[in-house]
């Protein structure tokens, strides 16, 4: 009976993001990570590209809005919807996809009230927004309020907050004020010199997992972080442990790719780093913004 119960438990994840022929970004990164960590994946492409646009101009194929909506509606009616434990959305191809994603999330949560929705608002970087303002606004106003967890980078959080985030105090305050209640902010300020970090802020906790900065990192780190963090939570890891092990896995893969001179994350080579990361990551408990107006923190033992 135990085996049957395990087989019946929802384990699948619907990943809605971009697809590239070459590289490890968007769905290519998220699907590989989730499947490596034991989760069946329903992969939904929002845009199809030969490679990441950062490598040069590339043909961009976006499904017509009505076809994308019909495709998503089919998934809502799928007889296997009860298999789904979570939805992860990332880069969207155009504003019309927002409501179709929202409808699917509502359907999954209606079928499985414990299902998680992780929204990675892939809208910009240090250079500013790289999607249409209407798309960014749709993600902010429609998808983030539905999410259980959001994983913006620091610059995306700046856009959501409408202000520059120059230090840890400002970043924590912005994460606490934003929706949803649990925010994992990548590329966050770090305490160590020459470092960067992943900042996790909930209604009651603030934690930072940091490591040294790797210059000229390949694309896909945000996609990978969101997927691995979701997998850790689905495996039952507490928030602090999930933050630490996620950061360790992503940093280890990043560092190894950098040493080889790779221009893309080499997930197939470093798959072991997803399951058993060896990298040392500093995890700090921070003084929560709701408990003090002064910036402060203490390292976790």
């Amino acid at each position: 009976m135990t085996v049957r119960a395990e087989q019946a438990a929802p384990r699948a994840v619907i990943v809605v993001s971009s697809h590239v022929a070459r590289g490890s970004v968007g769905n290519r990164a998220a699907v590989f990570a989730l499947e490596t960590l034991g989760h069946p994946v329903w992969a939904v492409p929002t845009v199809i590209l030969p490679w990441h646009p950062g490598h040069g101009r590339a043909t961009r194929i976006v499904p017509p809005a009505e076809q994308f909506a019909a495709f998503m509606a089919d998934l809502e009616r799928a007889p296997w919807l009860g298999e789904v434990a979570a939805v992860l959305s990332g880069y969207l191809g155009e504003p019309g996809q927002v409501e179709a994603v929202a409808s699917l999330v509502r359907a999954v949560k209606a079928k499985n009230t414990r299902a998680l929705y992780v929204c990675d608002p892939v809208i910009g970087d240090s250079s500013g927004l790289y999607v249409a303002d209407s798309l960014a606004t749709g993600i902010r106003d429609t998808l983030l309020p539905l999410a259980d967890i959001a994983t913006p980078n620091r610059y995306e959080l700046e856009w959501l907050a409408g202000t520059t985030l120059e230090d840890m105090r400002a970043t924590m305050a912005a994460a606490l004020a934003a929706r949803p209640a649990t925010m994992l902010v990548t590329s966050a300020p770090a305490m160590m010199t020459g470092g960067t970090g992943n900042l996790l802020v909930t209604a009651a906790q603030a934690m930072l997992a940091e490591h040294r900065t790797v210059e000229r990192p390949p694309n896909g780190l945000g996609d990978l972080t969101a997927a691995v963090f979701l997998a850790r939570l689905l495996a039952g890891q507490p928030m602090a442990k999930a933050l630490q092990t996620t950061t360790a896995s992503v940093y280890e893969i990043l560092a190894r790719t950098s040493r080889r001179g790779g221009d893309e994350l080499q997930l197939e080579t470093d798959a072991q780093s997803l399951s058993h990361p060896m990298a040392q990551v500093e995890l700090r408990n921070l003084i929560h913004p709701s408990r003090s107006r002064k910036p402060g923190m203490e390292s976790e033992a």
Side-chain angles (χ1 to χ4, degrees):
M1 292 184 66
T2 301
V3 173
R4 290 180 182 176
E6 290 177 353
Q7 291 176 341
R11 292 190 305 112
V13 178
I14 301 178
V15 180
V16 186
S17 191
S18 58
H19 176 84
V20 294
R22 177 191 183 271
S24 296
V25 300
N27 267 357
R28 291 291 303 274
V31 172
F32 184 93
L34 286 161
E35 290 183 341
T36 298
L37 295 171
H39 295 278
V41 177
W42 301 11
V44 179
T46 56
V47 58
I48 301 172
L49 300 157
W51 50 74
H52 188 280
H55 292 312
R57 294 185 62 181
T59 299
R60 174 186 171 93
I61 302 173
V62 180
E66 62 277 9
Q67 292 185 13
F68 185 82
F71 182 97
M72 298 292 268
D74 285 346
L75 295 184
E76 292 181 32
R77 296 188 295 268
W80 314 279
L81 198 64
E83 299 172 357
V84 178
V87 178
L88 168 61
S89 68
Y91 184 84
L92 301 185
E94 56 93 18
Q97 294 178 349
V98 170
E99 185 50 49
V101 175
S103 182
L104 178 61
V105 169
R106 295 187 194 103
V108 169
K109 284 183 168 286
K111 189 73 173 181
N112 175 12
T113 57
R114 299 181 63 184
L116 292 175
Y117 171 39
V118 176
C119 179
D120 184 10
V122 184
I123 58 175
D125 55 24
S126 58
S127 300
L129 288 184
Y130 49 59
V131 301
D133 187 78
S134 57
L135 175 54
T137 300
I139 291 172
R140 181 193 65 195
D141 296 345
T142 301
L143 295 184
L144 287 176
L146 288 175
D148 299 289
I149 301 165
T151 61
N153 63 42
R154 177 181 176 182
Y155 312 104
E156 290 160 342
L157 182 59
E158 286 185 336
W159 185 86
L160 295 171
T163 186
T164 301
L165 305 177
E166 296 182 349
D167 54 27
M168 180 61 70
R169 181 181 182 183
T171 305
M172 285 195 294
L176 185 62
R179 293 177 294 180
T182 299
M183 301 285 286
L184 173 57
V185 184
T186 60
S187 303
M191 296 307 298
M192 67 168 62
T193 301
T196 187
N198 291 328
L199 171 68
L200 181 65
V201 178
T202 72
Q205 294 178 294
M207 296 171 284
L208 176 69
E210 58 183 4
H211 58 78
R212 68 175 180 83
T213 299
V214 175
E215 298 298 328
R216 296 180 295 280
N219 297 298
L221 295 172
D223 306 305
L224 184 61
T225 298
V228 175
F229 187 66
L230 173 57
R232 300 289 197 250
L233 295 179
L234 292 176
Q237 288 191 2
M239 285 280 185
K241 183 68 172 177
L243 175 64
Q244 185 174 40
T245 59
T246 296
T247 305
S249 285
V250 175
Y251 171 57
E252 188 169 300
I253 292 170
L254 168 60
R256 289 178 173 178
T257 297
S258 178
R259 284 198 296 269
R260 299 186 195 106
D263 65 346
E264 293 283 351
L265 294 175
Q266 297 169 358
L267 303 182
E268 70 291 339
T269 303
D270 298 317
Q272 187 71 9
S273 297
L274 295 170
S275 303
H276 304 289
M278 302 297 291
Q280 296 298 310
V281 170
E282 182 78 21
L283 182 64
R284 301 177 186 270
N285 283 325
L286 311 183
I287 295 177
H288 197 272
S290 66
R291 294 197 295 270
S292 175
R293 294 185 179 181
K294 297 179 181 180
M297 57 194 61
E298 56 188 17
S299 296
E300 180 177 271

